[in-house]
Amino acid sequence: MHETPTHIYFLLRGAVSLVVHMSEGGSAEVGMIGREGMVGGDALLGPAPSAVDAIVQIAGAGLRVPLKAMEVLFHDHEEFRTRVLEFQQSQINISGQISACNKLHEAEARLSRWLLTAADRSGSDTLGLTQEYLAQMLGSQRTTVALVAGVLQRAGLIDYRRGMVKITNRAGLTEAACTCYDITRQITERLYQ
C-alpha cells in the first residue's frame, strides 16, 4: 500500500516519473513532473494515498517543503489553492492521455513523445537513460526500445549511446511523435497563461 508523503517537492532541475506498478510485475509511466509543478501535491487533496510512485528519472535539484506547511498554505490562501488545483487537474488530464497513448500508439511514436517530454521537463536535450528504464516507462520490452531507438538514431533524430540519449533533431522527433506530445505540452503550457 502506498503511503502519504511527508513532503512536497518543487523541482528546479531534473524530472520525476509517475509510475503505476501492477501486481503481476509490469509497470508504466502515467505522468512526468519537472520544473512546471510539484511532486506529491495530490496529498493536499485528501487523505487517500497515491496510487503512483514518484521516481527520479533525471537527477537535478529541488526544494522540499513539509506537507504540514503546504496544507496550511492550501487551506489559508486562495491563490495558492487555485494554482495547486490547476496543476493537479492538468496532471489528471495528462495521465489519461498518456494511459491511452501507452495502449493505442506504436512504440516509435511513444518513445519520441516520451523523449520530448523528458527534455521539456528537465530543460535538457541530453538525457541519461538506460534501455531498461525506457522500457519500464513505456511499458514495453527492452528489445523493443533498442529497435525503436535504433530507428530514431538512423533517421538522425537522436544520438543514442549506452545510457545516454541526445535529441539531435527536435523538429523531426516532434514529427515522429504521436499527437499526445502536442496535447500534453499544451495542457502544461495552459498552466502559465
Side-chain angles (χ1 to χ4, degrees):
M1 185 51 107
H2 297 277
E3 298 178 17
T4 302
T6 57
H7 293 82
I8 291 180
Y9 299 85
F10 295 89
L11 299 180
L12 303 172
R13 291 186 316 278
V16 168
S17 288
L18 304 177
V19 180
V20 172
H21 298 280
M22 304 302 282
S23 60
E24 63 273 5
S27 63
E29 183 187 72
V30 295
M32 189 185 309
I33 300 173
R35 302 166 297 164
E36 80 290 348
M38 69 183 88
V39 179
D42 57 332
L44 296 171
L45 304 181
S50 180
V52 299
D53 288 329
I55 300 171
V56 174
Q57 168 197 117
I58 299 169
L63 305 171
R64 182 176 95 152
V65 181
L67 177 61
K68 297 286 185 203
M70 295 296 288
E71 287 172 335
V72 170
L73 283 172
F74 185 77
H75 293 293
D76 292 349
H77 298 280
E78 183 178 354
E79 179 70 19
F80 179 73
R81 184 172 48 254
T82 298
R83 296 297 159 246
V84 168
L85 292 173
E86 287 172 348
F87 176 72
Q88 291 307 132
Q89 181 183 43
S90 75
Q91 287 302 294
I92 291 167
N93 292 333
I94 288 170
S95 180
Q97 189 71 39
I98 290 173
S99 296
C101 179
N102 286 342
K103 173 72 176 156
L104 300 172
H105 292 147
E106 297 296 323
E108 183 178 331
R110 289 186 292 124
L111 179 59
S112 299
R113 173 206 34 95
W114 194 91
L115 291 171
L116 289 163
T117 302
D120 292 348
R121 298 293 189 271
S122 68
S124 175
D125 280 346
T126 301
L127 311 164
L129 304 162
T130 64
Q131 285 180 355
E132 184 70 32
Y133 186 80
L134 288 169
Q136 185 180 30
M137 294 305 98
L138 295 171
S140 295
Q141 298 296 318
R142 188 171 165 234
T143 52
T144 302
V145 171
L147 289 170
V148 172
V151 168
L152 295 176
Q153 181 161 296
R154 285 188 295 282
L157 307 179
I158 65 170
D159 182 26
Y160 185 64
R161 303 200 190 293
R162 192 167 189 87
M164 191 66 63
V165 178
K166 180 175 183 178
I167 297 172
T168 56
N169 180 344
R170 184 172 263 276
L173 194 60
T174 301
E175 270 188 46
C178 54
T179 58
C180 297
Y181 172 65
D182 238 7
I183 292 167
T184 57
R185 185 182 51 76
Q186 288 173 20
I187 290 169
T188 301
E189 286 176 357
R190 280 194 297 265
L191 283 171
Y192 303 104
Q193 292 178 352

